[in-house]
Amino acid sequence: MDRKDVTPNKNGLLKKFGIGIAGGVIGGSLAFGGLYAVNGNNLNNSPSSSEQLTPQDNSGDTTVSNVSVNVNSDITEAVEKVQNAVVSVVNMQRVSQNSNSMYGGLFDDRTQSDSESSDSSDADLEAASEGSGVVYKKDGDTAYIVTNNHVVSGAQALEIVLHDGTKVQGELVGTDSYTDLAVIKISSDKVDAVAEFGDSDNLKIGEPAIAIGSPLGSDYANSVTQGIVSSLNRNITNTNDDGDPININAIQTDAAINPGNSGGPLVNIEGQVIGINSVKIVQSSDSVSVEGMGFAIPSNDAVSIINQLEKDGKVTRPALGVTMIDMANISAQQREQILNTPEDLTTGVVLRSIQSATPAEKAGLEKYDVITKIDGEDVETSTDVQSALYKKKVGDSIEVTFYRGSKEQTVTVELTIDQEALNNTQE
C-alpha cells in the first residue's frame, strides 16, 4: 500500500503549498482508496485441514425463541436499493513463471509454445489486486461501471464479480488519473440493478452516509458500513503510483473504508450514490492515532468525468494558465504589504503567477489579483475555482470577478487552451 505524507493547511484541508507560507505538519498518511493487493496469503474462513470438527451435544433446556423480528429502517432500505449494483473489480496482471504466484506455480509446467499460444495467452494472468465499483448505467447490451483509476492501473485484463458471485470480463473505457476515476463496460445480460446518482451539492454535514464495497477483496463483497458526512469540500492533493497528480474535492466521512473499498459507492439515506470512495488516512505518527477519516469523490464531480470518459475515453479540461493559493493562507502582513486588499477580504484565491499566451493573460489578469467570484458565484478556495472550471468545456467562457488592490473588477475569460498544452500549470 502506497502511503504518502500530506500537510494540512490552516483550514485543515490536506494540501501542500510550496510558497513559503508554512503550515503545521502532523505526519498523516493517505492510502488512495484502500486498494486490496491479492497474494498467496489471503484470509481463509474455512477451517484448516488439521482441525477436527466434532458434533456438539445440543440437548438441554435452553432453546431459541420462535419470535421472528423483521427489521426495516432507513438504512436497510437504502442498502436494498443499491447493493445489487455494487461489484468487485479484479485487476488481472501477467506474472512470470519465476514469481511466487498465489497459485503456487500451478501452471508453470506449460511449455513455452503453450504459454505463447493464443488459446492460453490469458492463462498467465492472475489477480494482482481488487477494488470495488458500482454499475450506474445500462445501454442496450452494455452496462457501465465507475471505479477508481488506481483500481485498474496496470491491469492487463479486468474481471468483474457481480453481487451474486457471477464473474464477467470487463473492458476499460477510459481513465482520469487527476480525479482518480475510471469507467469499465461489461455485457449487460447478467446485470439486474443499476445505481442512481444523488446530488452531492445538496449534502449536509452530519447526514447519514453508507459505504458499500469489497473490503479485503471479493471474499467480503457487499460489506456495508455506516457513518455520517463528516465534512465537505476537502481538497485532497497527492500523486499516484505513476507520479501523476491527484486532486480530489472530496466528501469526508467516518463510515469505515478499508482496503478493497476503492471505487465503491458512498450512499445517502435514499439509496443514491453521492460519492465514489477513494481515499482514507491510514496513519499519522507514533503519538497520534487517526480513525474514521475516509474521503469520496462527490457524485456531481464524478458524473461530469464519467460522461467524458464514456464519450472520448479521456478528459480534456479548460485551464486559466495560472498558479494559485488560497487567501486564507496569506498572513495579515502579506495582505497589507503585498496585496493591498480591503481588510474585510479574507477569502478568495490569490494568483501567484500568470503564464504567457494563456486565457488568464489574454483576459488581463495579473499576479496578486484575488479572485472572489466566477460566473457570479463566490469562490473561497482554489478547489472552488477548479470545480467551476471543470464544469466548463474548452472554448467556453467564464466571468471572473477579482480584486486588484482595493478595486473590484470583472473580466470575461475565454477558455481556449487545453490544460495539457500548459506546461507546469496547476490551473
Side-chain angles (χ1 to χ4, degrees), residues 200-252:
S200 58
D201 286 346
N202 288 329
L203 293 177
K204 295 181 179 179
I205 296 174
E207 73 171 88
I210 307 162
I212 308 178
S214 304
L216 301 185
S218 52
D219 285 347
Y220 296 92
N222 278 306
S223 291
V224 178
T225 55
Q226 177 192 357
I228 61 171
V229 173
S230 302
S231 190
L232 301 170
N233 300 317
R234 293 301 200 196
N235 189 13
I236 307 298
T237 61
N238 214 292
T239 56
N240 60 21
D241 291 339
D242 298 324
D244 298 321
I246 293 176
N247 195 319
I248 303 171
N249 181 31
I251 302 166
Q252 181 183 332

Side-chain angles (χ1 to χ4, degrees), residues 68-365:
S68 177
V69 179
N70 184 15
V71 176
N72 285 305
S73 68
D74 290 341
I75 297 296
T76 61
E77 291 176 2
V79 171
E80 287 174 359
K81 289 179 182 179
V82 70
Q83 64 179 350
N84 287 352
V86 181
V87 302
S88 297
V89 179
V90 184
N91 183 317
M92 307 291 290
Q93 297 184 21
R94 186 165 286 107
V95 296
S96 66
Q97 291 188 0
N98 294 326
S99 67
N100 183 21
S101 76
M102 64 182 289
Y103 298 108
L106 179 61
F107 301 113
D108 290 351
D109 57 352
R110 290 178 298 125
T111 65
Q112 183 176 4
S113 59
D114 287 337
S115 64
E116 292 176 351
S117 68
S118 58
D119 292 338
S120 60
S121 60
D122 288 342
D124 291 330
L125 298 180
E126 297 182 1
S129 58
E130 294 189 24
S132 303
V134 59
V135 181
Y136 67 87
K137 179 180 178 180
K138 284 178 69 172
D139 184 7
D141 296 333
T142 304
Y144 293 87
I145 296 165
V146 60
T147 185
N148 287 144
N149 172 67
H150 74 260
V151 170
V152 302
S153 179
Q156 292 164 307
L158 293 169
E159 185 175 78
I160 307 301
V161 185
L162 303 180
H163 70 91
D164 61 356
T166 300
K167 297 180 179 180
V168 298
Q169 183 177 356
E171 179 182 343
L172 190 61
V173 175
T175 64
D176 181 46
S177 61
Y178 194 73
T179 56
D180 196 28
L181 287 170
V183 171
I184 303 167
K185 66 180 180 180
I186 60 174
S187 173
S188 64
D189 60 346
K190 298 183 184 302
V191 174
D192 56 15
V194 175
E196 177 185 55
F197 285 108
D199 187 354
S200 58
D201 286 346
N202 288 329
L203 293 177
K204 295 181 179 179
I205 296 174
E207 73 171 88
I210 307 162
I212 308 178
S214 304
L216 301 185
S218 52
D219 285 347
Y220 296 92
N222 278 306
S223 291
V224 178
T225 55
Q226 177 192 357
I228 61 171
V229 173
S230 302
S231 190
L232 301 170
N233 300 317
R234 293 301 200 196
N235 189 13
I236 307 298
T237 61
N238 214 292
T239 56
N240 60 21
D241 291 339
D242 298 324
D244 298 321
I246 293 176
N247 195 319
I248 303 171
N249 181 31
I251 302 166
Q252 181 183 332
T253 180
D254 66 344
I257 297 175
N258 293 292
N261 276 115
S262 298
L266 188 69
V267 179
N268 65 14
I269 203 65
E270 294 296 327
Q272 298 172 318
V273 177
I274 55 172
I276 303 300
N277 297 320
S278 181
V279 182
K280 68 175 295 184
I281 295 181
V282 293
Q283 69 176 24
S284 54
S285 67
D286 294 337
S287 60
V288 179
S289 177
V290 175
E291 294 183 6
M293 293 189 70
F295 301 90
I297 304 162
S299 56
N300 290 26
D301 294 348
V303 166
S304 176
I305 297 300
I306 64 179
N307 283 338
Q308 294 181 66
L309 293 178
E310 275 187 47
K311 180 181 178 182
D312 302 321
K314 62 180 181 179
V315 178
T316 303
R317 293 185 171 87
L320 288 177
V322 303
T323 59
M324 303 178 292
I325 179 174
D326 295 347
M327 186 71 161
N329 292 311
I330 303 296
S331 69
Q333 184 178 16
Q334 290 170 322
R335 293 177 196 170
E336 179 182 353
Q337 297 182 3
I338 299 176
L339 301 180
N340 297 312
T341 51
E343 291 184 3
D344 59 353
L345 183 62
T346 58
T347 61
V349 177
V350 181
L351 302 186
R352 293 173 54 204
S353 65
I354 312 291
Q355 288 199 341
S356 61
T358 61
E361 186 190 54
K362 292 177 180 178
L365 292 174

